[in-house]
Amino acid sequence: MTKMNLELTYEEVKNKIDNYITNPEDLALIDKAFKYVYEFHEGEKRLTGDDYIQHPLNVAYILASINADTATICAGFLHDVMEEDDSNKEELLDIFGEVIVNIVEGVTKINKLNFDGDKKAVIESHRKILVGLSEDVRVIIVKLADRLHNMRTLWVLPPKSQKEKANETLDILVPIASRLGMNTFKSELEDLCLRYSKPDTYFYIVEKLNQTKNERNLEVNKMIEAVSLLLDKEGIEYKIKGRAKSIYSIYKKLDKGKSFNDIYDLLALRVYVNTEHECYQVLGLIHSKFKPMPKRFKDYIAMPKTNMYQSLHTTVFGVDEHIFEIQIRTYEMDQIAEHGIASHWSYKEHGSTKADLQNAMEQKLQFFRSLIEIKNDNSNDEEFVKTVQNEVLKENVYVFTPRGDVIELPIGSTPIDFAYRVHSGVGDKMVGAIVNGSIVPLDYVLQNNDVVKINTNKNSLGPSKEWINMAFTSQAKSKIKSFFNRTQKEDYVKLGEEVLIKEVKKRKIPMADFFTSENISKILNEFKYKDEEELYVNLGNNKIPVGTVVNVLYNDNASKEDLILKRVINGEVEEVNSKDDIIVEGIDRIKVNVASCCKPIPGDEIVGYITKGHGITIHRAMCPNIMNNEERIINVHWNNITTKKYPALLLVHAMENKNLLLDIIARSSNSDITIQSINAINSSDNFMYELTVLINNVESLKKFMNELDSISSIINVERIIK
Ligand code: MN
């Protein structure tokens, strides 16, 4: 296949640029860019047979037609000159500066990737395109111009490659052009994509349009005449044009099952006026003469589309009973309708900066905010690209706030998505939703034109976990999840602080000594934590034992938790008899012994003492042997249901020993007490016996001691500690 190509000259491009760029320095830089690219590609041919320079010339021309700024025009010329190994980057930086080279580099990175069926490369390239948008939208504008020219010359590639290129363009670049409001780019790209992805359909529509062309022109001209007559009478300054529907938009309607003859808005015209007020005036005049079709009127002036598009749309029964679709807009609205974000260049005095355009995008395009949020949420390329494609670039529903602002959401979204799109504060405090005046469940699927009111309550404790499943957008889901992470984190921080303070108090370390900034940074260093918050979170959720934290500074006294932990970890745990009777706070399986010095029995106030290597020994709280060893003391208490007998040590003073031992034994058998041993202790003045008895509890012991006391020869009975 051969094709005649119109050769574009630098002069033609320059003329286009001269229309709006006048600064001599800018023009000189553009000359330099052309000279550089001309020499760079000299002698090279494109597959089309053209000199290679035709490609950058065309790309620059396309960019000049949307009044692109100097940096963008230069980048358009230079977008294919960056060497694979960056060897000429320094040179480019020297001549053109960082801004231009950054755009060139951005486009180069996207173009470098090989698309031949490699899914990973496709995802990577899509991610670069999307991230490029958030860094400098001019990268994407140059990319769109580059693709537009390549699509115009796509005939040169084999059919398989044509289809691949066309599908890729439809998947990602067309939706981006649409979101940026760049409708002239979008419309031409769509038509070209259809031509190569579905040539049969494309040429069928072209043929049909040609067949009906004269007839349609006749009808459109009659209608233009009739409308002009109306407007002339009112003295309105206007322009009116017949409007060709794009082939792709006709294809979409055919695809929905309509037949070619059903497509009434093939007859279309557009009226341009100077002011917004005149738009409504013109609409009124047209409706006064031609009956509007019900439900086909749309006021995109009062409620602009989310890509900034503004116009009035109506469909009327026109001359000869033909149906006409009419758009009414101001010239300024037309610029925005055609070029979207790029129209910013036309309305900016000379010297617009990257920040201006980027700022306009952030302010004016809702999709951009979604893009940024999704970018921040997803670390994984594939997820990011998938989410953007499904939730940002696909067809959406348009719903309204009670004030009439349009909110754009993916199809399938619920009031939860709406609330979180408006503001995460609204989502977090949401208690209900009202759609078109009626209360709806929170999993209600939003429909086009729904008016959505979110009821909030400032006392609401926050979203419910179920909402994660009810929400459709990844933004809402991740905002709900982050609410829970946040509140959980706050709880952990609080708990962590408490745990540490308690431990410091328990170890009798003065708080002021412990909590110095020097000490805290020592601890943070030790655990490689970045701040105190991280330390407290880890303490609060039990990731590190509090003892080890204090030990960083007070290491000589290993804490009891450490010792116990060591026990448990080393497997030195062994069940002993007393284990079931004594509950050691916080520890389940540990060896427990009863101290032989103070011999505690059930009912005694007791404490646990952490021994070196032998688990815990239970002492009576008043036992002098454990005093001044507080750091090794652990809370323990008796199990209420103990039935075992424990030894107690008594010292009996008596005046004489006549029948004394018999008396003692007799009393013990009355009281269900076993006497384990009786030792006589010699003393000069009186008789003393050391008595070890096995006994159930303190109460029984007291009773027994009273009974002994009632023996006339006994002076005194006391419980002793050795
Ligand atoms: Mn290129």
Side-chain angles (χ1 to χ4, degrees):
M1 182 163 24
T2 54
K3 186 153 174 148
M4 278 291 292
N5 293 303
L6 288 177
E7 297 254 308
L8 195 60
T9 64
Y10 181 52
E11 270 51 57
E12 286 170 286
V13 179
K14 206 55 195 301
N15 285 340
K16 195 95 184 160
I17 293 167
D18 284 340
N19 283 336
Y20 67 97
I21 294 180
T22 50
N23 182 316
E25 277 172 36
D26 285 339
L27 293 170
L29 195 62
I30 290 169
D31 281 342
K32 267 191 215 165
F34 172 70
K35 198 166 163 271
Y36 190 97
V37 72
Y38 184 83
E39 285 167 9
F40 188 89
H41 293 299
E42 202 166 13
E44 281 178 56
K45 294 272 185 197
R46 297 195 90 210
L47 283 175
T48 56
D50 293 321
D51 288 338
Y52 196 93
I53 192 66
Q54 282 299 313
H55 176 58
L57 276 174
N58 271 280
V59 171
Y61 188 85
I62 290 167
L63 291 169
S65 68
I66 56 168
N67 294 359
D69 64 7
T70 304
T72 309
I73 297 283
C74 289
F77 274 123
L78 298 169
H79 77 272
D80 279 331
V81 305
M82 195 95 131
E83 299 282 8
E84 198 109 320
D85 58 359
D86 285 355
S87 58
N88 59 345
K89 187 176 171 182
E90 284 303 313
E91 184 190 17
L92 288 167
L93 277 170
D94 276 353
I95 310 174
F96 300 105
E98 208 184 330
V99 173
I100 292 172
V101 173
N102 277 345
I103 303 174
V104 172
E105 211 175 7
V107 180
T108 308
K109 273 186 197 155
I110 297 167
N111 285 349
K112 223 190 240 171
L113 296 148
N114 166 33
F115 287 100
D116 297 341
D118 182 354
K119 191 177 158 231
K120 257 181 112 179
V122 172
I123 283 167
E124 177 61 11
S125 125
H126 289 184
R127 192 189 66 86
K128 288 213 161 103
I129 290 171
L130 296 168
V131 170
L133 269 175
S134 62
E135 278 156 12
D136 190 341
V137 65
R138 292 177 299 185
V139 170
I140 304 312
I141 293 176
V142 173
K143 176 66 203 167
L144 285 168
D146 175 40
R147 180 58 59 91
L148 189 53
H149 184 242
N150 284 334
M151 288 297 294
R152 283 176 184 170
T153 54
L154 197 62
W155 52 268
V156 78
L157 293 181
K160 187 174 171 276
S161 312
Q162 288 176 345
K163 284 205 169 72
E164 275 172 13
K165 225 15 161 212
N167 286 333
E168 206 240 345
T169 304
L170 274 179
D171 270 356
I172 190 111
L173 289 170
V174 165
I176 287 174
S178 165
R179 288 291 177 263
L180 293 174
M182 300 178 68
N183 284 319
T184 47
F185 280 26
K186 175 195 168 220
S187 188
E188 188 181 347
L189 284 172
E190 279 176 339
D191 283 359
L192 287 164
C193 287
L194 186 65
R195 175 174 162 186
Y196 294 105
S197 64
K198 295 192 164 138
D200 292 349
T201 312
Y202 177 85
F203 287 109
Y204 165 80
I205 295 169
V206 170
E207 204 182 299
K208 279 284 191 185
L209 284 174
N210 279 337
Q211 281 169 11
T212 57
K213 191 175 181 182
N214 291 340
E215 192 195 336
R216 282 186 296 120
N217 280 347
L218 195 73
E219 295 303 331
V220 166
N221 285 336
K222 272 195 206 169
M223 186 65 180
I224 288 178
E225 237 170 84
V227 172
S228 299
L229 207 65
L230 272 176
L231 304 189
D232 285 340
K233 257 193 235 163
E234 295 295 317
I236 295 170
E237 211 180 284
Y238 66 91
K239 231 194 248 170
I240 185 164
K241 274 190 199 165
R243 185 167 64 89
K245 297 288 290 185
S246 82
I247 295 166
Y248 193 82
S249 70
I250 295 168
Y251 154 72
K252 287 289 261 190
K253 288 190 169 144
L254 293 178
D255 203 38
K256 277 182 187 157
K258 292 194 173 165
S259 88
F260 195 83
N261 295 326
D262 289 342
I263 304 171
Y264 37 75
D265 48 7
L266 286 180
L267 298 177
L269 45 92
R270 189 178 287 154
V271 184
Y272 306 85
V273 289
N274 287 311
T275 67
E276 194 180 300
H277 177 75
E278 285 167 339
C279 292
Y280 290 103
Q281 228 183 326
V282 169
L283 178 81
L285 288 167
I286 291 173
H287 281 183
S288 72
K289 169 96 188 193
F290 303 102
K291 211 176 170 51
M293 244 175 115
K295 292 187 177 172
R296 296 272 298 168
F297 168 66
K298 292 207 177 84
D299 185 348
Y300 291 121
I301 293 178
M303 285 172 290
K305 288 191 184 179
T306 49
N307 63 9
M308 307 186 292
Y309 177 92
Q310 285 189 299
S311 277
L312 297 176
H313 287 192
T314 187
T315 303
V316 299
F317 297 91
V319 290
D320 298 340
E321 283 159 13
H322 283 298
I323 292 165
F324 284 84
E325 194 196 81
I326 301 175
Q327 296 177 346
I328 307 160
R329 58 175 72 150
T330 66
Y331 297 101
E332 185 177 343
M333 289 174 195
D334 188 53
Q335 275 294 313
I336 295 168
E338 301 278 282
H339 305 313
I341 191 72
S343 67
H344 189 77
W345 276 318
S346 310
Y347 287 93
K348 200 60 210 167
E349 317 83 87
H350 175 76
S352 77
T353 62
K354 167 188 164 184
D356 287 331
L357 198 63
Q358 208 66 21
N359 204 19
M361 186 156 82
E362 267 168 55
Q363 298 302 315
K364 292 181 175 160
L365 301 179
Q366 268 184 36
F367 98 98
F368 183 76
R369 264 176 288 151
S370 313
L371 182 75
I372 295 300
E373 280 180 25
I374 294 170
K375 187 182 139 202
N376 293 340
D377 286 347
N378 290 276
S379 46
N380 171 321
D381 286 356
E382 193 171 345
E383 235 171 81
F384 169 63
V385 171
K386 218 172 80 192
T387 309
V388 173
Q389 281 184 325
N390 288 337
E391 299 180 17
V392 182
L393 299 180
K394 272 237 180 88
E395 221 183 306
N396 288 343
V397 287
Y398 298 90
V399 297
F400 297 98
T401 67
R403 277 177 43 212
D405 294 327
V406 185
I407 301 286
E408 183 183 22
L409 289 162
I411 291 170
S413 294
T414 65
I416 299 172
D417 299 293
F418 178 95
Y420 278 99
R421 175 63 57 84
V422 172
H423 195 273
S424 44
V426 174
D428 286 348
K429 294 289 174 202
M430 172 166 67
V431 290
I434 294 173
V435 171
N436 306 326
S438 310
I439 295 174
V440 296
L442 292 183
D443 59 357
Y444 167 85
V445 175
L446 295 172
Q447 307 295 316
N448 265 324
N449 301 323
D450 277 348
V451 178
V452 187
K453 183 176 184 293
I454 299 298
N455 288 334
T456 57
N457 182 333
K458 67 176 181 347
N459 297 323
S460 159
L461 294 176
S464 133
K465 276 200 170 139
E466 279 171 29
W467 293 7
I468 296 170
N469 297 322
M470 294 180 181
F472 180 86
T473 60
S474 58
Q475 280 171 282
K477 285 176 195 283
S478 85
K479 280 177 178 172
I480 297 165
K481 282 181 199 154
S482 90
F483 174 89
F484 286 109
N485 289 340
R486 203 165 59 237
T487 49
Q488 205 168 35
K489 195 173 167 191
E490 280 165 15
D491 288 348
Y492 281 144
V493 169
K494 232 176 107 191
L495 188 65
E497 264 177 309
E498 284 169 12
V499 164
L500 184 58
I501 288 170
K502 206 171 148 195
E503 176 70 12
V504 169
K505 277 184 181 164
K506 206 188 274 174
R507 291 214 201 173
K508 302 252 175 350
I509 302 164
M511 297 274 274
D513 283 4
F514 187 87
F515 289 96
T516 64
S517 53
E518 196 191 339
N519 280 352
I520 295 297
S521 52
K522 259 189 211 164
I523 293 171
L524 297 184
N525 273 339
E526 177 75 19
F527 292 96
K528 308 261 181 297
Y529 291 150
K530 65 176 190 311
D531 52 21
E532 273 180 84
E533 192 181 53
E534 196 180 351
L535 168 70
Y536 291 134
V537 167
N538 281 292
L539 276 172
N541 66 17
N542 256 327
K543 288 231 173 83
I544 49 164
V546 66
T548 54
V549 172
V550 179
N551 286 347
V552 171
L553 305 164
Y554 296 83
N555 204 13
D556 32 17
N557 282 330
S559 82
K560 62 179 182 242
E561 271 88 353
D562 284 351
L563 286 163
I564 290 165
L565 221 60
K566 238 185 190 164
R567 284 298 85 73
V568 176
I569 289 163
N570 295 342
E572 292 178 21
V573 180
E574 158 192 327
E575 306 258 341
V576 297
N577 279 341
S578 336
K579 203 247 144 206
D580 293 335
D581 290 349
I582 293 160
I583 295 160
V584 181
E585 260 179 30
I587 314 284
D588 222 16
R589 294 167 48 83
I590 186 122
K591 191 169 150 187
V592 176
N593 294 309
V594 173
S596 56
C597 52
C598 56
K599 292 191 172 37
I601 61 174
D604 277 331
E605 216 181 294
I606 51 173
V607 293
Y609 179 79
I610 298 151
T611 65
K612 289 200 166 125
H614 300 286
I616 294 172
T617 305
I618 306 303
H619 290 259
R620 287 159 68 189
M622 37 72 75
C623 176
N625 295 326
I626 52 155
M627 300 270 176
N628 307 317
N629 266 314
E630 272 143 332
E631 73 280 3
R632 290 169 160 253
I633 298 300
I634 186 167
N635 287 338
V636 295
H637 48 89
W638 294 101
N639 195 338
N640 289 332
I641 53 162
T642 55
T643 50
K644 242 179 313 186
K645 288 180 177 174
Y646 284 84
L649 189 63
L650 299 177
L651 189 66
V652 178
H653 299 249
M655 291 181 289
E656 48 177 23
N657 68 351
K658 191 185 150 202
N659 292 333
L660 184 61
L661 291 180
L662 276 177
D663 277 346
I664 292 174
I665 289 162
R667 311 285 155 132
S668 69
S669 49
N670 288 344
S671 320
D672 193 23
I673 280 170
T674 312
I675 295 183
Q676 202 175 42
S677 65
I678 300 177
N679 295 320
I681 296 167
N682 286 328
S683 139
S684 52
D685 297 336
N686 42 37
F687 302 96
M688 276 203 290
Y689 297 94
E690 205 179 74
L691 213 61
T692 305
V693 297
L694 294 175
I695 199 157
N696 279 321
N697 52 45
V698 173
E699 241 171 274
S700 308
L701 182 66
K702 272 188 186 150
K703 229 164 95 191
F704 179 60
M705 284 167 75
N706 285 338
E707 287 200 33
L708 294 183
D709 229 6
S710 66
I711 298 172
S712 55
S713 59
I714 290 179
I715 307 164
N716 175 28
V717 183
E718 60 178 325
R719 192 175 170 196
I720 56 164
I721 292 170
K722 271 193 164 170

